Amino acid sequence: MSKTLQDIREELGECRRCELCETRTTIVFGVGNPTTQVMFIGEAPGKQEDLGAEPFIGAAGKLLNELLGIAGLKRSEVYIANVLKCRPPHNADPLPHQIEACTPFLREQVRSISPVVLVTLGRFATQFILRTDQGISQLRGRIQITGRFSVLPIYHPAAAIYDRAKLPVLEQDFALLGALVAKRREELGLS
Ligand code: URA
């Protein structure tokens, strides 16, 4: 039997498995419905998340909440986690040894939640879940079936904050997500 999210959180403890423990304010474990059919994986906590202990509560989170509406989803019905659970100083890219130290817990979270659809937001989450070096521009908007779940890579919402031309692409991909979730729910006889 898979572990509960609470078991996984307890195992993680006051993690000191990499140097990000020295600079973080809080561990940002994940938030949402532990039995959801739709799980989102982002990159790493930013400043707001580090202070608030919840993923996607800053500017990118506000945009994510709006985009969820396009997919017909409410934030409270999905689960949201990140590749890293501690903020890299200056929002630096996650480093390979940090990903290696942190992601066994993310894997356990995915196993515990066992979603039907896994949405990877941005390059790091997508490359980690799909075990690929391909770029997000090539992979976004293309549904991939891996094992028991469908993976949908999408640009990270922050990308549209820096480059407004990405917003219509994000909107298109969240509309695709809505259709995918409806289809998978129907196939599985879920409401
Ligand atoms: N960006 C992420 O990837 N995750 C967060 O939680 C916040 C911003």
Side-chain angles (χ1 to χ4, degrees):
M1 228 185 72
S2 67
K3 296 171 190 168
T4 65
L5 291 176
Q6 199 180 331
D7 295 336
I8 301 162
R9 181 64 191 87
E10 277 168 21
E11 256 178 53
L12 180 66
E14 280 307 299
C15 185
R16 304 194 63 81
R17 292 168 182 82
C18 85
E19 73 281 8
L20 295 180
C21 67
E22 307 288 348
T23 47
R24 73 171 179 236
T25 308
T26 52
I27 293 176
V28 182
F29 182 71
V31 70
N33 174 358
T35 61
T36 187
Q37 292 143 15
V38 191
M39 178 171 179
F40 288 78
I41 304 179
E43 181 176 313
K47 187 169 184 197
Q48 299 307 319
E49 292 79 17
D50 175 62
L51 295 172
E54 181 172 332
F56 285 97
I57 53 171
K62 285 204 184 75
L63 180 54
L64 176 62
N65 294 345
E66 287 172 28
L67 291 163
L68 284 171
I70 295 177
L73 296 166
K74 289 194 291 282
R75 186 174 166 108
S76 59
E77 73 181 293
V78 304
Y79 192 88
I80 311 174
N82 283 307
V83 170
L84 296 187
K85 294 185 175 6
C86 295
R87 181 189 184 211
H90 314 295
N91 300 338
D93 284 351
L95 297 173
H97 74 274
Q98 296 165 352
I99 295 174
E100 198 180 321
C102 204
T103 49
F105 297 92
L106 177 62
R107 275 195 202 293
E108 295 273 22
Q109 284 171 289
V110 174
R111 211 169 287 142
S112 174
I113 293 164
S114 189
V116 175
V117 176
L118 196 49
V119 183
T120 55
L121 297 170
R123 168 162 70 107
F124 288 96
T126 301
Q127 292 183 340
F128 170 69
I129 290 295
L130 294 178
R131 300 170 197 261
T132 178
D133 288 334
Q134 264 192 289
I136 183 70
S137 310
Q138 277 85 55
L139 296 167
R140 61 137 283 273
R142 289 166 49 187
I143 299 161
Q144 311 222 12
I145 313 291
T146 69
R148 283 172 300 114
F149 41 74
S150 303
V151 179
L152 179 58
I154 296 184
Y155 280 138
H156 194 289
I161 296 172
Y162 300 113
D163 174 7
R164 294 309 278 183
K166 292 216 166 69
L167 188 56
V169 184
L170 267 161
E171 289 170 346
Q172 185 188 322
D173 289 351
F174 272 79
L176 175 63
L177 171 63
L180 172 64
V181 171
K183 179 168 163 276
R184 295 293 279 128
R185 281 178 176 164
E186 200 181 305
E187 282 166 4
L188 296 166
L190 301 165
S191 52

